[in-house]
Amino acid sequence: MAMWRAVELSSRAQHTTPPNPDVGCVILDAHGEVAGEGWHERPGAPHAEIVALREAGHRASGGTAVVTLEPCSHEGRTGPCTTALIDAGVRRVVYAVTDPNPQATGGADVLRAHGIEVDGGLLASEAAAVNARWLTPFHTGRPFVVWKYAATLDGRSAAADGTSRWITGAGARAEVHRLRAAVDTIVVGSATVIADDPQLTVRHGGTPVPYAEQPLRVVVDSAARTPATARVCDDAAPTWIATAAEVGSTPDGRVDLHKLLATLYERGQRYLLLEGGPALAGAFWQARVVDRVVAYIAPALLGAGPTALAHAGIDTIDDAIRLDVREVTTVDGDVRITATPHPAPDSGVAGPQQPAVAAAADEEA
């Protein structure tokens, strides 16, 4: 089926398309044969429909466009996809997910007004799952949150003496920099800053990327104890020390995670990488605001030391947070596991909904 192919195409550039959506498109000619395919590769590059139409050429006339996201109708860095589809003489458009972006939505109506048959909703859940990183913020009013951590096979994030460099190998560490380059926000707690003094910047081959391309560094710091000399406070990237007094606090005086994420959303941040320690990770899970897990598991044993996740509001096995494993692969001897919560957080995208839990966010203890 063409839509299955479009969904597969949409997943091909997930690390290079942010902040744009992941979109795939298949053009069928008038006889139902595949005439062109395409996917959106990066901001400023042609949209999936444009790539597919170029490949299809004259065979698009009288054919069908199958696309994972409702074609856009606005003028951005590239022209409206609706105009391109109309000019190509496409007879029918089938899309999976309605565009929630108020600046771009309405493409289906534009196409219908020009006599094109339009159908939506085909494989919507499957297409939305691939594009959850982009869709979730529109529905929740907060950034899409990825929790990244590294641990040994017995779940330790550091040794008993606190040392943690390096649990994983060079390949996994290089991947983390590519992941950082895809997001617009990196979050840690003040205890991580005090203990490890990380810089939290994107570096490729040891070379930092320009300031304008660096994500915002956010330190969750209830009591404003981050040292002014910390590397996270340097001029290599923008930084926000998020205190309880500034963001808003829970009854016990800690930073309220829901208010923190809402503030980041208001500031235009849409894609967040959580790199904090076990207590901050536990607070995010207790708040039920983690959308994806990327875990790097090293084939090593420590037997003692901190675990990757501290208290997350779970007191019995019945309350365990279950995950759907999306991918398992090896990276230079380490194992990378990508998973999503099941049921999903209140994303408004796909899957059962789960009520939000009041967050008592804090830096790691």
Side-chain angles (χ1 to χ4, degrees), residues 15 148 166 169-183 186 198-209 213-215 231 273 275 294 296:
H15 292 296
K148 185 279 299 179
W166 295 105
R173 298 197 297 274
E175 279 203 355
V176 169
H177 282 284
R178 289 194 289 273
L179 182 55
R180 286 180 179 178
V183 305
I186 300 173
Q199 192 177 30
L200 300 178
T201 54
V202 179
R203 300 179 296 279
H204 294 308
T207 302
V209 303
E213 299 174 23
Q214 292 283 355
R231 291 203 300 164
L273 181 63
E275 291 202 44
V294 179
Y296 291 92

Side-chain angles (χ1 to χ4, degrees), residues 16-318:
T16 57
T17 51
N20 287 5
D22 300 307
V23 183
C25 179
V26 175
I27 301 295
L28 305 176
D29 66 17
H31 304 289
E33 300 295 326
V34 175
E37 297 182 338
W39 66 93
H40 183 49
E41 294 185 1
R42 64 185 184 279
H47 288 187
E49 298 94 320
I50 306 304
V51 177
L53 285 170
R54 287 175 180 173
E55 186 174 293
H58 71 277
R59 294 178 62 195
S61 181
T64 299
V66 180
V67 61
T68 57
L69 184 67
E70 178 186 8
C72 65
S73 60
H74 77 298
E75 186 83 34
R77 279 185 281 188
T78 58
C81 292
T82 50
T83 300
L85 292 165
I86 293 165
D87 291 344
V90 168
R91 175 183 62 83
R92 184 184 182 212
V93 172
V94 180
Y95 68 89
V97 179
T98 300
D99 193 334
N101 185 351
Q103 294 180 326
T105 192
D109 292 336
V110 171
L111 293 169
R112 290 190 183 101
H114 283 79
I116 295 175
E117 180 184 348
V118 181
D119 295 295
L122 181 62
L123 297 186
S125 294
E126 291 79 1
V130 173
N131 208 15
R133 177 269 309 166
W134 185 78
L135 291 167
T136 297
F138 287 106
H139 294 290
T140 62
R142 64 165 176 82
F144 183 83
V145 176
V146 177
W147 176 43
K148 185 279 299 179
Y149 74 91
T152 59
L153 198 58
D154 57 342
R156 306 292 175 175
S157 60
D161 65 356
T163 56
S164 60
R165 295 186 180 182
W166 295 105
I167 286 179
T168 56
R173 298 197 297 274
E175 279 203 355
V176 169
H177 282 284
R178 289 194 289 273
L179 182 55
R180 286 180 179 178
V183 305
D184 53 35
T185 314
I186 300 173
V187 175
V188 298
S190 60
T192 290
V193 172
I194 292 169
D196 300 334
D197 196 22
Q199 192 177 30
L200 300 178
T201 54
V202 179
R203 300 179 296 279
H204 294 308
T207 302
V209 303
Y211 180 95
E213 299 174 23
Q214 292 283 355
L216 171 68
R217 302 175 292 190
V218 177
V219 181
V220 180
D221 187 357
S222 319
R225 59 180 184 150
T226 300
T229 56
R231 291 203 300 164
V232 77
C233 296
D234 64 19
D235 59 1
T239 301
W240 178 33
I241 309 299
T243 65
E246 181 181 7
V247 176
S249 65
T250 57
D252 59 359
R254 298 181 177 185
V255 172
D256 186 310
L257 275 188
H258 293 295
K259 292 180 179 179
L260 173 70
L261 294 175
T263 300
L264 287 169
Y265 181 86
E266 291 169 0
R267 296 182 181 186
Q269 307 302 109
R270 298 292 185 267
Y271 194 10
L272 185 152
L273 181 63
L274 174 61
E275 291 202 44
L280 187 60
F284 266 75
W285 278 110
Q286 191 166 2
R288 297 298 188 266
V289 290
V290 177
D291 301 294
R292 182 180 298 159
V293 180
V294 179
Y296 291 92
I297 308 301
L301 302 171
L302 287 172
T307 58
L309 183 66
H311 184 61
I314 301 168
D315 298 313
T316 175
I317 192 65
D318 291 338

